[in-house]
Amino acid sequence: MEVDYAQDLPSREVKALYVLAEVYGTGVGHALLTSGIGEDPAYLWVLAGNDRAIAFYARQGFRLDGAAKSDPVGTEKRMVRP
């Protein structure tokens, strides 16, 4: 079921954050995210099934909120950090 809750969302949206596989686990992703939004509230969409990205964002304080949308490459789930 596709759900996109019309709720109050933080004003910041993370559009994309990609790092090369060879730098996974080095802190580069965390540094990029912190440089971009600091500790501010934000939301983002992550591809369903991308467990590595979901776990990364969860470590940064983001939580899946149940909203989902279709994308040409698959279903995206929304994560929010209050």
Side-chain angles (χ1 to χ4, degrees):
M1 181 169 97
E2 187 166 309
V3 179
D4 191 356
Y5 298 109
Q7 64 184 36
D8 292 328
L9 290 172
S11 60
R12 292 177 183 250
E13 179 181 6
V14 176
K15 288 291 211 176
L17 179 65
Y18 296 98
V19 298
L20 297 173
E22 57 258 26
V23 297
Y24 286 173
T26 66
V28 170
H30 175 76
L32 287 170
L33 186 65
T34 300
S35 176
I37 63 169
E39 298 296 322
D40 291 347
Y43 71 98
L44 56 89
W45 294 93
V46 63
L47 194 59
N50 188 344
D51 296 335
R52 182 178 197 87
I54 292 168
F56 167 79
Y57 290 120
R59 287 191 303 275
Q60 311 312 315
F62 288 85
R63 299 291 176 256
L64 292 166
D65 74 349
K69 66 180 182 178
S70 293
D71 185 88
V73 297
T75 300
E76 292 182 295
K77 295 183 175 187
R78 189 170 61 202
M79 298 185 79
V80 179
R81 180 170 73 185

